[in-house]
PDB file of all heavy atoms in Angstrom:
ATOM      1  N   PHE A1003       0.588  42.234   0.571  1.00 93.00           N
ATOM      2  CA  PHE A1003      -0.343  42.129   1.697  1.00 93.00           C
ATOM      3  C   PHE A1003       0.107  43.001   2.866  1.00 93.00           C
ATOM      4  O   PHE A1003      -0.654  43.552   3.550  1.00 93.00           O
ATOM      5  CB  PHE A1003      -0.499  40.679   2.145  1.00 93.00           C
ATOM      6  CG  PHE A1003      -1.275  39.785   1.253  1.00 93.00           C
ATOM      7  CD1 PHE A1003      -0.893  38.477   1.060  1.00 93.00           C
ATOM      8  CD2 PHE A1003      -2.387  40.289   0.623  1.00 93.00           C
ATOM      9  CE1 PHE A1003      -1.644  37.638   0.164  1.00 93.00           C
ATOM     10  CE2 PHE A1003      -3.128  39.516  -0.174  1.00 93.00           C
ATOM     11  CZ  PHE A1003      -2.791  38.138  -0.382  1.00 93.00           C
ATOM     12  N   LYS A1004       1.502  43.056   3.098  1.00 93.00           N
ATOM     13  CA  LYS A1004       1.944  43.844   4.195  1.00 93.00           C
ATOM     14  C   LYS A1004       1.690  45.375   3.921  1.00 93.00           C
ATOM     15  O   LYS A1004       1.351  46.110   4.883  1.00 93.00           O
ATOM     16  CB  LYS A1004       3.460  43.594   4.384  1.00 93.00           C
ATOM     17  CG  LYS A1004       3.733  42.350   5.134  1.00 93.00           C
ATOM     18  CD  LYS A1004       5.189  42.278   5.437  1.00 93.00           C
ATOM     19  CE  LYS A1004       5.493  41.128   6.418  1.00 93.00           C
ATOM     20  NZ  LYS A1004       6.896  41.143   6.814  1.00 93.00           N
ATOM     21  N   ARG A1005       1.904  45.786   2.730  1.00 94.00           N
ATOM     22  CA  ARG A1005       1.660  47.192   2.349  1.00 94.00           C
ATOM     23  C   ARG A1005       0.166  47.590   2.618  1.00 94.00           C
ATOM     24  O   ARG A1005      -0.154  48.695   2.993  1.00 94.00           O
ATOM     25  CB  ARG A1005       2.038  47.520   0.918  1.00 94.00           C
ATOM     26  CG  ARG A1005       3.418  47.797   0.675  1.00 94.00           C
ATOM     27  CD  ARG A1005       3.713  48.373  -0.637  1.00 94.00           C
ATOM     28  NE  ARG A1005       3.214  47.461  -1.733  1.00 94.00           N
ATOM     29  CZ  ARG A1005       3.969  46.523  -2.315  1.00 94.00           C
ATOM     30  NH1 ARG A1005       5.198  46.271  -1.901  1.00 94.00           N
ATOM     31  NH2 ARG A1005       3.487  45.788  -3.308  1.00 94.00           N
ATOM     32  N   GLN A1006      -0.728  46.704   2.310  1.00 93.00           N
ATOM     33  CA  GLN A1006      -2.116  46.886   2.590  1.00 93.00           C
ATOM     34  C   GLN A1006      -2.593  46.689   4.009  1.00 93.00           C
ATOM     35  O   GLN A1006      -3.743  46.927   4.320  1.00 93.00           O
ATOM     36  CB  GLN A1006      -2.969  45.964   1.717  1.00 93.00           C
ATOM     37  CG  GLN A1006      -2.821  46.288   0.223  1.00 93.00           C
ATOM     38  CD  GLN A1006      -3.551  45.299  -0.654  1.00 93.00           C
ATOM     39  OE1 GLN A1006      -4.196  44.353  -0.218  1.00 93.00           O
ATOM     40  NE2 GLN A1006      -3.464  45.516  -1.950  1.00 93.00           N
ATOM     41  N   GLY A1007      -1.682  46.344   4.876  1.00 93.00           N
ATOM     42  CA  GLY A1007      -1.991  46.062   6.319  1.00 93.00           C
ATOM     43  C   GLY A1007      -2.618  44.792   6.646  1.00 93.00           C
ATOM     44  O   GLY A1007      -3.171  44.593   7.703  1.00 93.00           O
ATOM     45  N   LEU A1008      -2.513  43.903   5.751  1.00 93.00           N
ATOM     46  CA  LEU A1008      -3.113  42.519   5.895  1.00 93.00           C
ATOM     47  C   LEU A1008      -1.999  41.588   6.406  1.00 93.00           C
ATOM     48  O   LEU A1008      -1.566  40.683   5.748  1.00 93.00           O
ATOM     49  CB  LEU A1008      -3.677  41.952   4.597  1.00 93.00           C
ATOM     50  CG  LEU A1008      -4.791  42.869   3.964  1.00 93.00           C
ATOM     51  CD1 LEU A1008      -5.115  42.425   2.566  1.00 93.00           C
ATOM     52  CD2 LEU A1008      -5.992  42.903   4.802  1.00 93.00           C
ATOM     53  N   ILE A1009      -1.622  41.790   7.669  1.00 93.00           N
ATOM     54  CA  ILE A1009      -0.489  41.027   8.264  1.00 93.00           C
ATOM     55  C   ILE A1009      -0.839  39.519   8.322  1.00 93.00           C
ATOM     56  O   ILE A1009       0.029  38.707   8.105  1.00 93.00           O
ATOM     57  CB  ILE A1009      -0.131  41.655   9.621  1.00 93.00           C
ATOM     58  CG1 ILE A1009       0.188  43.178   9.524  1.00 93.00           C
ATOM     59  CG2 ILE A1009       0.988  40.838  10.296  1.00 93.00           C
ATOM     60  CD1 ILE A1009       1.335  43.462   8.583  1.00 93.00           C
ATOM     61  N   LYS A1010      -2.038  39.165   8.763  1.00 94.00           N
ATOM     62  CA  LYS A1010      -2.433  37.857   8.932  1.00 94.00           C
ATOM     63  C   LYS A1010      -2.352  37.119   7.537  1.00 94.00           C
ATOM     64  O   LYS A1010      -1.858  35.954   7.454  1.00 94.00           O
ATOM     65  CB  LYS A1010      -3.808  37.668   9.449  1.00 94.00           C
ATOM     66  CG  LYS A1010      -4.294  36.289   9.768  1.00 94.00           C
ATOM     67  CD  LYS A1010      -5.619  36.293  10.475  1.00 94.00           C
ATOM     68  CE  LYS A1010      -6.046  34.906  10.842  1.00 94.00           C
ATOM     69  NZ  LYS A1010      -7.353  34.833  11.375  1.00 94.00           N
ATOM     70  N   ASP A1011      -2.782  37.750   6.522  1.00 92.00           N
ATOM     71  CA  ASP A1011      -2.745  37.189   5.132  1.00 92.00           C
ATOM     72  C   ASP A1011      -1.288  36.971   4.720  1.00 92.00           C
ATOM     73  O   ASP A1011      -0.936  36.014   4.057  1.00 92.00           O
ATOM     74  CB  ASP A1011      -3.543  38.016   4.155  1.00 92.00           C
ATOM     75  CG  ASP A1011      -5.007  37.967   4.400  1.00 92.00           C
ATOM     76  OD1 ASP A1011      -5.474  36.976   4.982  1.00 92.00           O
ATOM     77  OD2 ASP A1011      -5.699  38.902   4.015  1.00 92.00           O
ATOM     78  N   ALA A1012      -0.422  37.956   5.105  1.00 93.00           N
ATOM     79  CA  ALA A1012       0.989  37.893   4.724  1.00 93.00           C
ATOM     80  C   ALA A1012       1.642  36.708   5.444  1.00 93.00           C
ATOM     81  O   ALA A1012       2.470  35.962   4.740  1.00 93.00           O
ATOM     82  CB  ALA A1012       1.662  39.182   5.070  1.00 93.00           C
ATOM     83  N   LYS A1013       1.279  36.497   6.641  1.00 94.00           N
ATOM     84  CA  LYS A1013       1.828  35.351   7.433  1.00 94.00           C
ATOM     85  C   LYS A1013       1.350  33.995   6.737  1.00 94.00           C
ATOM     86  O   LYS A1013       2.166  33.051   6.642  1.00 94.00           O
ATOM     87  CB  LYS A1013       1.476  35.371   8.839  1.00 94.00           C
ATOM     88  CG  LYS A1013       2.179  36.463   9.554  1.00 94.00           C
ATOM     89  CD  LYS A1013       1.772  36.568  11.077  1.00 94.00           C
ATOM     90  CE  LYS A1013       2.495  37.584  11.823  1.00 94.00           C
ATOM     91  NZ  LYS A1013       2.106  37.725  13.206  1.00 94.00           N
ATOM     92  N   ILE A1014       0.140  33.981   6.385  1.00 94.00           N
ATOM     93  CA  ILE A1014      -0.426  32.711   5.876  1.00 94.00           C
ATOM     94  C   ILE A1014       0.292  32.489   4.442  1.00 94.00           C
ATOM     95  O   ILE A1014       0.600  31.320   4.143  1.00 94.00           O
ATOM     96  CB  ILE A1014      -1.995  32.847   5.644  1.00 94.00           C
ATOM     97  CG1 ILE A1014      -2.655  32.829   7.012  1.00 94.00           C
ATOM     98  CG2 ILE A1014      -2.510  31.736   4.792  1.00 94.00           C
ATOM     99  CD1 ILE A1014      -4.066  33.113   7.023  1.00 94.00           C
ATOM    100  N   THR A1015       0.496  33.532   3.644  1.00 93.00           N
ATOM    101  CA  THR A1015       1.156  33.332   2.405  1.00 93.00           C
ATOM    102  C   THR A1015       2.601  32.892   2.615  1.00 93.00           C
ATOM    103  O   THR A1015       3.022  32.028   1.829  1.00 93.00           O
ATOM    104  CB  THR A1015       1.121  34.724   1.668  1.00 93.00           C
ATOM    105  OG1 THR A1015      -0.152  35.109   1.453  1.00 93.00           O
ATOM    106  CG2 THR A1015       1.823  34.622   0.277  1.00 93.00           C
ATOM    107  N   SER A1016       3.229  33.345   3.719  1.00 94.00           N
ATOM    108  CA  SER A1016       4.613  32.879   3.943  1.00 94.00           C
ATOM    109  C   SER A1016       4.582  31.404   4.242  1.00 94.00           C
ATOM    110  O   SER A1016       5.490  30.645   3.786  1.00 94.00           O
ATOM    111  CB  SER A1016       5.210  33.668   5.109  1.00 94.00           C
ATOM    112  OG  SER A1016       5.348  35.035   4.765  1.00 94.00           O
ATOM    113  N   VAL A1017       3.667  31.019   5.131  1.00 95.00           N
ATOM    114  CA  VAL A1017       3.616  29.577   5.436  1.00 95.00           C
ATOM    115  C   VAL A1017       3.301  28.678   4.300  1.00 95.00           C
ATOM    116  O   VAL A1017       3.958  27.630   4.042  1.00 95.00           O
ATOM    117  CB  VAL A1017       2.537  29.347   6.583  1.00 95.00           C
ATOM    118  CG1 VAL A1017       2.305  27.874   6.805  1.00 95.00           C
ATOM    119  CG2 VAL A1017       2.971  30.022   7.836  1.00 95.00           C
ATOM    120  N   ILE A1018       2.359  29.146   3.414  1.00 93.00           N
ATOM    121  CA  ILE A1018       1.987  28.299   2.256  1.00 93.00           C
ATOM    122  C   ILE A1018       3.206  28.220   1.303  1.00 93.00           C
ATOM    123  O   ILE A1018       3.467  27.173   0.760  1.00 93.00           O
ATOM    124  CB  ILE A1018       0.842  28.936   1.557  1.00 93.00           C
ATOM    125  CG1 ILE A1018      -0.432  28.721   2.359  1.00 93.00           C
ATOM    126  CG2 ILE A1018       0.586  28.338   0.132  1.00 93.00           C
ATOM    127  CD1 ILE A1018      -1.709  29.461   1.861  1.00 93.00           C
ATOM    128  N   SER A1019       3.982  29.257   1.172  1.00 93.00           N
ATOM    129  CA  SER A1019       5.144  29.299   0.280  1.00 93.00           C
ATOM    130  C   SER A1019       6.188  28.329   0.873  1.00 93.00           C
ATOM    131  O   SER A1019       6.774  27.573   0.033  1.00 93.00           O
ATOM    132  CB  SER A1019       5.791  30.693   0.175  1.00 93.00           C
ATOM    133  OG  SER A1019       4.858  31.533  -0.448  1.00 93.00           O
ATOM    134  N   MET A1020       6.403  28.320   2.074  1.00 94.00           N
ATOM    135  CA  MET A1020       7.388  27.389   2.748  1.00 94.00           C
ATOM    136  C   MET A1020       6.917  25.972   2.608  1.00 94.00           C
ATOM    137  O   MET A1020       7.703  25.058   2.326  1.00 94.00           O
ATOM    138  CB  MET A1020       7.541  27.756   4.160  1.00 94.00           C
ATOM    139  CG  MET A1020       8.367  29.063   4.363  1.00 94.00           C
ATOM    140  SD  MET A1020       8.656  29.390   6.121  1.00 94.00           S
ATOM    141  CE  MET A1020       8.131  31.016   6.221  1.00 94.00           C
ATOM    142  N   VAL A1021       5.620  25.704   2.732  1.00 94.00           N
ATOM    143  CA  VAL A1021       5.098  24.359   2.597  1.00 94.00           C
ATOM    144  C   VAL A1021       5.239  23.903   1.118  1.00 94.00           C
ATOM    145  O   VAL A1021       5.607  22.677   0.868  1.00 94.00           O
ATOM    146  CB  VAL A1021       3.615  24.266   3.065  1.00 94.00           C
ATOM    147  CG1 VAL A1021       2.929  22.981   2.646  1.00 94.00           C
ATOM    148  CG2 VAL A1021       3.541  24.499   4.549  1.00 94.00           C
ATOM    149  N   LEU A1022       5.063  24.768   0.170  1.00 92.00           N
ATOM    150  CA  LEU A1022       5.207  24.376  -1.243  1.00 92.00           C
ATOM    151  C   LEU A1022       6.640  23.971  -1.509  1.00 92.00           C
ATOM    152  O   LEU A1022       6.912  23.017  -2.240  1.00 92.00           O
ATOM    153  CB  LEU A1022       4.780  25.571  -2.148  1.00 92.00           C
ATOM    154  CG  LEU A1022       3.290  25.581  -2.543  1.00 92.00           C
ATOM    155  CD1 LEU A1022       2.995  26.839  -3.281  1.00 92.00           C
ATOM    156  CD2 LEU A1022       2.923  24.452  -3.380  1.00 92.00           C
ATOM    157  N   VAL A1023       7.585  24.768  -1.043  1.00 92.00           N
ATOM    158  CA  VAL A1023       9.005  24.482  -1.273  1.00 92.00           C
ATOM    159  C   VAL A1023       9.339  23.136  -0.547  1.00 92.00           C
ATOM    160  O   VAL A1023      10.000  22.289  -1.218  1.00 92.00           O
ATOM    161  CB  VAL A1023       9.926  25.648  -0.744  1.00 92.00           C
ATOM    162  CG1 VAL A1023      11.330  25.158  -0.791  1.00 92.00           C
ATOM    163  CG2 VAL A1023       9.704  26.817  -1.644  1.00 92.00           C
ATOM    164  N   GLY A1024       8.904  22.909   0.663  1.00 93.00           N
ATOM    165  CA  GLY A1024       9.137  21.715   1.330  1.00 93.00           C
ATOM    166  C   GLY A1024       8.471  20.520   0.668  1.00 93.00           C
ATOM    167  O   GLY A1024       9.119  19.431   0.523  1.00 93.00           O
ATOM    168  N   SER A1025       7.297  20.711   0.093  1.00 90.00           N
ATOM    169  CA  SER A1025       6.624  19.631  -0.647  1.00 90.00           C
ATOM    170  C   SER A1025       7.429  19.301  -1.906  1.00 90.00           C
ATOM    171  O   SER A1025       7.609  18.079  -2.309  1.00 90.00           O
ATOM    172  CB  SER A1025       5.182  20.017  -1.013  1.00 90.00           C
ATOM    173  OG  SER A1025       4.490  20.287   0.113  1.00 90.00           O
ATOM    174  N   ALA A1026       7.910  20.299  -2.640  1.00 89.00           N
ATOM    175  CA  ALA A1026       8.703  20.099  -3.856  1.00 89.00           C
ATOM    176  C   ALA A1026       9.897  19.322  -3.540  1.00 89.00           C
ATOM    177  O   ALA A1026      10.293  18.358  -4.242  1.00 89.00           O
ATOM    178  CB  ALA A1026       8.961  21.398  -4.520  1.00 89.00           C
ATOM    179  N   VAL A1027      10.598  19.660  -2.474  1.00 91.00           N
ATOM    180  CA  VAL A1027      11.862  18.943  -2.083  1.00 91.00           C
ATOM    181  C   VAL A1027      11.469  17.495  -1.677  1.00 91.00           C
ATOM    182  O   VAL A1027      12.194  16.496  -2.083  1.00 91.00           O
ATOM    183  CB  VAL A1027      12.555  19.644  -0.973  1.00 91.00           C
ATOM    184  CG1 VAL A1027      13.694  18.833  -0.364  1.00 91.00           C
ATOM    185  CG2 VAL A1027      13.110  21.006  -1.410  1.00 91.00           C
ATOM    186  N   ALA A1028      10.445  17.336  -0.966  1.00 89.00           N
ATOM    187  CA  ALA A1028      10.027  15.966  -0.483  1.00 89.00           C
ATOM    188  C   ALA A1028       9.652  15.101  -1.743  1.00 89.00           C
ATOM    189  O   ALA A1028      10.012  13.956  -1.800  1.00 89.00           O
ATOM    190  CB  ALA A1028       8.877  16.039   0.451  1.00 89.00           C
ATOM    191  N   MET A1029       8.904  15.712  -2.675  1.00 86.00           N
ATOM    192  CA  MET A1029       8.543  14.948  -3.887  1.00 86.00           C
ATOM    193  C   MET A1029       9.745  14.546  -4.712  1.00 86.00           C
ATOM    194  O   MET A1029       9.834  13.495  -5.246  1.00 86.00           O
ATOM    195  CB  MET A1029       7.525  15.804  -4.703  1.00 86.00           C
ATOM    196  CG  MET A1029       6.132  15.851  -4.158  1.00 86.00           C
ATOM    197  SD  MET A1029       5.086  16.928  -5.052  1.00 86.00           S
ATOM    198  CE  MET A1029       4.888  15.984  -6.572  1.00 86.00           C
ATOM    199  N   ALA A1030      10.744  15.451  -4.751  1.00 87.00           N
ATOM    200  CA  ALA A1030      11.973  15.160  -5.458  1.00 87.00           C
ATOM    201  C   ALA A1030      12.730  14.019  -4.859  1.00 87.00           C
ATOM    202  O   ALA A1030      13.217  13.087  -5.488  1.00 87.00           O
ATOM    203  CB  ALA A1030      12.867  16.424  -5.571  1.00 87.00           C
ATOM    204  N   LEU A1031      12.775  14.040  -3.515  1.00 87.00           N
ATOM    205  CA  LEU A1031      13.422  12.924  -2.792  1.00 87.00           C
ATOM    206  C   LEU A1031      12.712  11.600  -2.982  1.00 87.00           C
ATOM    207  O   LEU A1031      13.298  10.529  -3.160  1.00 87.00           O
ATOM    208  CB  LEU A1031      13.539  13.264  -1.340  1.00 87.00           C
ATOM    209  CG  LEU A1031      14.535  14.361  -0.927  1.00 87.00           C
ATOM    210  CD1 LEU A1031      14.474  14.714   0.534  1.00 87.00           C
ATOM    211  CD2 LEU A1031      15.959  13.913  -1.306  1.00 87.00           C
TER     212      LEU A1031
END
Side-chain angles (χ1 to χ4, degrees):
F1003 286 143
K1004 280 189 172 184
R1005 276 193 302 273
Q1006 294 175 358
L1008 302 169
I1009 303 301
K1010 186 175 180 181
D1011 291 336
K1013 288 180 182 179
I1014 291 171
T1015 301
S1016 297
V1017 170
I1018 289 172
S1019 296
M1020 288 182 230
V1021 167
L1022 271 173
V1023 170
S1025 298
V1027 169
M1029 287 176 69
L1031 288 174

